[in-house]
Amino acid sequence: MTVAGFGDQGLDAWFTGLGDEFLGRIPVGSLRPRMVEGWRLLWRGRELEIQVDADFPFSVARAYLVGYSRAAAEPHVERDGKLCLATKAVPGDRLRTVQAVVADAVQLLTDNETRKHDDDFRDDFGLYWLSWATSGDARVEVLPGPHGADKTMLGRAVTTTNGRTLVFPDKAEATKVWKNLTGAPPMALRETPVIAIDPLPAPDRYPETAEELWALVEARSQDGVGLLKRLMNNSPKEAVVVLAGKAPSGREHYAAMYLRRPLDRGGKPFNRRTMRKDIDPSKETTRTVFGRFKLDRVFTQRMDSSASRLPEGVRAQMKGAMVIIAGCGALGSGVARMLAQAGVEHLRLVDPEDLGWENIRRHELGALAVGTGKAKSLADSIRASLPTISLVEGFASTFAAFAREHPEALKAADLVISCTGEWVADSSVEDALSQPGQNAAAIYGWMEPHALATHAVLIGNSGKKFADGFDDQGQFRLPVVAGGKPPPAECGGASTPFGAVELAHAQALVARLAIDVLRGLADAPVWRSWLADATAFQEADASVTSGWAAARGQPDDVGGPYEGDWAFP
């Protein structure tokens, strides 16, 4: 297919064929930013622009409403009048791409005339609030409280060095998150109203002034005005107020406003006396003073918006689980981070070793952590990366020492994951969990040479033992890997080289089994394995053992997962 250049007669002829609905080409100087060509149409008395960028027709055309304003806001239309369409480009075909965009634009506008999408203003409230924000610099991030958007609360706020304002449900949460981020408690916390309103407003009702905010809170909240009065009792020079509410779908939204006193001619905020000047004694002083503040609607996000995509009930299970990870090397460090990212909020990490240079291409920690304890540095890193997490502790000790010194932590654990890769260390885990009063399940994860095979074994109260799979010298009874290159000198003879790509399968295997256990989807005993592809075996000068092939079958060239019974002759 020959792709016509800009200004081809075929596309212009199609627009011209629309008759009186075609208002002509858009002059280059009137195009939107990054647009290179455009046409203007008339549809039911409204002007609609179709514009394209330099990538067209390998990018979709855009449709814009001319003269769009917040007072006449419509669902799925952005602040600049751009229609939010799901249209896809037809690569290389200018005409079909434009025809599809025009058809979808007309359909959306027709639906809007019938108010088909009105509930979307509230279902997608956060996106519309962002679109109609009046301050491009300020940014507020909210961590919901236990009652979410259903309850008005007096939150606590702290401002970061780069100007972000973080709003928490209470002092305890603020202190926890701030310490996770910075290593120290916050110096100062500001009382910040988080006011539940119902229903959430459409764009034409977004507050423009502090007086309009007060009226909205008075009309749509049960006790929000009381928090506004409390805020004003502190005579703030500036403050943040957050509105909270639920969409018809049940989705929660938060919207923040930044309030500040007006500035005098010298650029300083009005003092308290000036803010109260000339107030009619018959009017409520607090509301009048509040109404004199300047208001900006600001970009607002939830701090927990990156929560696990698991179902709500499962997320609660993950959040409450107590998990101990023994061994924070290449495998254990990745498993720890994956579980934290999946929603596990209570982790204790145990490892006696420091990080060395030989590990930085396959460890969750990099060069800056070389020479530091793996467990404690990993705990610090996870807390800083996921500051809303409840508990991540690192212990620079063997697991045997940890079990002796912290028996209460071991008894409280729901799951212990041993990624030490050492027979003796794994045995100490099994021994500790066999003692009276211990109820935690155990997963043992380890890699064979060159990470060509990984195993994850779940042992519970089934009568099976992890030791069943090993002889008296700690040799695995059903290995996958035979032969292989010897470890290089720089590995200290302790491990074989492998990279992050091979490791990713191993980490996922163990983490997936752990999540299944915490969700109640896996009952002991379970033995899962992952084999690398044939190329990886060849590069390592290794092969699959005859014992594995006889028991599980000869793997194909792409490798992959296996699952079997933890049973040996």
Side-chain angles (χ1 to χ4, degrees), residues 218-232:
E218 187 174 56
R220 302 195 184 189
S221 77
Q222 292 187 350
D223 45 11
V225 168
L227 289 191
L228 296 183
K229 290 180 178 179
R230 175 167 176 160
L231 177 68
M232 296 309 296

Side-chain angles (χ1 to χ4, degrees), residues 3 7 254:
V3 180
Y254 296 84

Side-chain angles (χ1 to χ4, degrees), residues 16 31 42 140 154 198 284 510 534 554 561:
T16 302
L31 292 168
L42 185 66
V140 173
L154 186 63
D198 183 33
E284 185 183 358
V510 178
Q554 183 68 33

Side-chain angles (χ1 to χ4, degrees), residues 86-292:
T87 318
K88 303 295 183 183
V90 182
D93 195 321
R94 289 165 57 86
L95 179 57
R96 288 175 62 194
T97 296
V98 165
Q99 287 175 329
V101 167
V102 171
D104 287 349
V106 169
Q107 184 62 57
L108 173 62
L109 296 176
T110 301
D111 289 344
N112 285 351
E113 284 188 343
T114 63
R115 309 185 72 85
K116 179 178 179 180
H117 300 299
D118 275 8
D119 280 348
D120 292 354
F121 274 140
R122 295 178 177 88
D123 276 327
D124 296 328
F125 177 82
L127 295 177
Y128 290 105
W129 185 266
L130 171 61
S131 179
W132 292 101
T134 54
S135 174
D137 297 329
R139 183 186 188 102
V140 173
E141 296 161 15
V142 181
L143 182 63
H147 300 286
D150 289 329
K151 185 176 180 180
T152 293
M153 65 179 186
L154 186 63
R156 299 294 188 275
V158 62
T159 300
T160 67
T161 54
N162 60 0
R164 294 156 52 202
T165 298
L166 310 182
V167 179
F168 304 95
D170 51 44
K171 181 178 179 180
E173 281 293 317
T175 301
K176 179 193 76 176
V177 174
W178 193 255
K179 286 184 70 174
N180 285 344
L181 279 171
T182 68
M187 296 295 292
L189 293 170
R190 303 188 307 277
E191 290 187 347
T192 301
V194 180
I195 301 173
I197 61 171
D198 183 33
L200 291 166
D204 63 334
R205 297 297 302 274
Y206 292 170
E208 290 279 1
T209 65
E211 172 59 33
E212 289 181 358
L213 172 60
W214 188 290
L216 180 67
V217 169
E218 187 174 56
R220 302 195 184 189
S221 77
Q222 292 187 350
D223 45 11
V225 168
L227 289 191
L228 296 183
K229 290 180 178 179
R230 175 167 176 160
L231 177 68
M232 296 309 296
N233 287 339
N234 294 325
S235 300
K237 293 183 179 179
E238 59 182 14
V240 170
V241 174
V242 179
L243 300 181
K246 280 189 174 180
S249 65
R251 184 180 178 189
E252 294 186 351
H253 293 282
Y254 296 84
M257 282 141 292
Y258 172 64
L259 299 165
R260 56 181 173 80
R261 295 185 188 180
L263 303 180
D264 61 22
R265 293 180 179 179
K268 295 182 178 180
F270 282 173
N271 59 33
R272 182 177 180 180
R273 178 179 297 178
T274 303
M275 291 293 290
R276 294 173 175 270
K277 186 177 180 181
D278 299 328
I279 292 180
D280 186 341
S282 65
K283 295 183 178 180
E284 185 183 358
T285 302
T286 302
R287 178 169 184 166
T288 303
V289 172
F290 185 89
R292 291 179 173 179

Side-chain angles (χ1 to χ4, degrees), residues 61-80:
R62 277 82 160 177
Y64 298 87
L65 276 175
V66 178
Y68 186 68
S69 68
R70 186 170 66 91
E74 297 183 37
H76 306 295
V77 182
E78 296 181 5
R79 184 173 185 171
D80 62 354

